[in-house]
Amino acid sequence: MPVSARRARVRALAKVNLGLKVLHKRPDGFHELRTVFQTISLGDTLELEYTPGGRPRIEATPEIPNNLVVRAAEAVFEALRLRGHLKAALTKRVPMGGGLGGGSSDAAAVLLALPVLAGKVLPVSRLLEIGAGLGSDVPFFLLGGTAAALGRGTELYPLPDGRRQHGLLVAPGVHVSTPEAYKALGRGLTSGASSNIINSFQAFVWDLGGLQNCPQKPPVFENDFESVVFDLYPRLKSIKRTLLKQGASYAMMSGSGSALFGVFESRDAVQAARAKWGEAALAVHTVSRSQYQALWWRSLAPHMDGKVWPPRSRYA
């Protein structure tokens, strides 16, 4: 008797960087980073349909070059030696190329959901390994909430959930080349300022709990890329300045850009500021780790065995 298809509709949330420091270039070609990731309410939607049995097949729409959804699915198929047919339909809402991690989150969504639909188990260590191989931001989306990230961004340390913060996200549609941004920073294989950067990062993380509970308090961290990207794209600097003038308690570029976000003291303040931006701005709020996991548990509830993390399949 043929096995019926198993379906799930999941959301792949975006992230912002609550500051980002670049120390130096590593021997492996990546850069040594210090950052804090935070999930936000904006997200893509991914509809998955997995039918067990038969030769391995993956169909994904829309067709995107170097599609991380397909690459993530191929990695899971290989790791679990799956036989079956996967259909994946992606609806994009996270602006591409904005430093918001949309593609990485899509990939992580497949890593979390496909083993559940397939009735298999991937250990956390293997999930993280596969995620890191797909992209530096992918492991974070296997965790969610707030997390300090070291190395090239794959070494993660969960931070306590803070109060919900409301923000305005401005995606100007400017494409910032990440290699160009790194080149402009001019970080070599060693950096004499590394100790100072590490100390400032530690101070920021220690103070983060107070920052989350008192959004009016200015941050003590910053995004290194702003100094060079704003020179290359003055419009982005102007956007940050406008957000601050509108009453944002702080504003920052996410990743290497080009999206910027401002944090306001209330949802009403966000809506008042948004009215002046039109379609270029989106109202968002932070999503804690507990909320992130609950979102996944609801999405995969028909296929899950208890509320554990990562989600576990009832078919296993």
Side-chain angles (χ1 to χ4, degrees):
M1 181 177 178
V3 180
S4 60
R6 301 165 184 170
R7 300 177 179 88
R9 184 178 186 178
V10 300
R11 291 193 68 212
L13 299 187
K15 59 84 179 167
V16 292
N17 296 77
L18 302 179
L20 172 60
K21 285 289 185 181
V22 182
L23 277 68
H24 54 264
K25 193 169 185 179
R26 295 150 43 119
D28 61 7
F30 292 97
H31 284 77
E32 185 72 18
L33 306 178
R34 297 292 184 270
T35 189
V36 173
F37 291 125
Q38 172 66 60
T39 40
I40 59 173
S41 53
L42 176 65
D44 297 335
T45 300
L46 190 59
E47 297 188 47
L48 300 172
E49 179 184 294
Y50 176 76
T51 306
R55 65 182 181 85
R57 282 194 300 151
I58 299 169
E59 296 179 47
T61 55
E63 294 184 3
I64 302 172
N66 196 32
N67 193 336
L68 278 172
V69 168
V70 173
R71 289 175 55 198
E74 289 173 343
V76 174
F77 266 76
E78 181 179 354
L80 296 176
R81 298 181 180 178
L82 293 184
R83 294 185 61 80
H85 180 199
L86 175 69
K87 294 181 180 179
L90 177 66
T91 302
K92 286 294 295 179
R93 293 184 179 88
V94 179
M96 298 177 68
L100 300 170
S104 295
S105 186
D106 297 337
V110 174
L111 297 185
L112 289 171
L114 181 52
V116 174
L117 298 178
K120 302 290 184 178
V121 176
L122 267 179
V124 174
S125 58
R126 187 72 178 108
L127 276 174
L128 291 170
E129 181 184 358
I130 293 173
L134 294 169
S136 295
D137 292 348
V138 176
F140 167 69
F141 291 106
L142 301 172
L143 178 67
T146 312
L150 282 63
R152 63 182 180 96
T154 58
E155 184 181 341
L156 298 165
Y157 297 92
L159 297 174
D161 287 338
R163 67 185 294 276
R164 175 176 290 189
Q165 295 189 70
H166 297 277
L168 191 65
L169 183 72
V170 181
V174 174
H175 175 71
V176 176
S177 166
T178 300
E180 183 181 9
Y182 273 112
K183 184 178 179 180
L185 272 178
R187 298 291 196 266
L189 287 174
T190 59
S191 173
S194 291
S195 60
N196 291 335
I197 293 174
I198 292 171
N199 288 340
S200 67
F201 178 75
Q202 289 183 96
F204 171 73
V205 173
W206 286 13
D207 198 41
L208 190 58
L211 175 63
Q212 289 177 323
N213 290 297
C214 180
Q216 292 81 11
K217 182 179 178 182
V220 294
F221 209 39
E222 58 189 13
N223 185 339
D224 277 353
F225 283 114
E226 288 187 356
S227 62
V228 294
V229 172
F230 286 177
D231 285 342
L232 294 170
Y233 306 94
R235 181 185 171 195
L236 302 183
K237 185 176 183 178
S238 176
I239 291 172
K240 177 176 179 176
R241 188 184 302 119
T242 301
L243 287 169
L244 293 171
K245 286 182 178 179
Q246 288 184 306
S249 55
Y250 63 96
M252 192 175 297
M253 188 174 72
S254 184
S256 59
S258 61
L260 293 101
F261 64 96
V263 173
F264 293 78
E265 62 181 54
S266 69
R267 184 185 300 173
D268 289 342
V270 170
Q271 293 299 340
R274 183 188 180 190
K276 301 177 181 179
W277 289 95
E279 296 182 357
L282 299 167
V284 297
H285 61 78
T286 56
V287 175
S288 69
R289 185 170 306 104
S290 59
Q291 292 167 338
Y292 188 76
Q293 293 180 354
L295 181 71
W296 274 94
W297 289 331
R298 288 193 298 271
S299 299
L300 295 175
H303 312 287
M304 277 179 46
D305 178 20
K307 292 183 177 180
V308 296
W309 195 262
R312 185 189 310 161
S313 176
R314 71 179 179 88
Y315 310 115

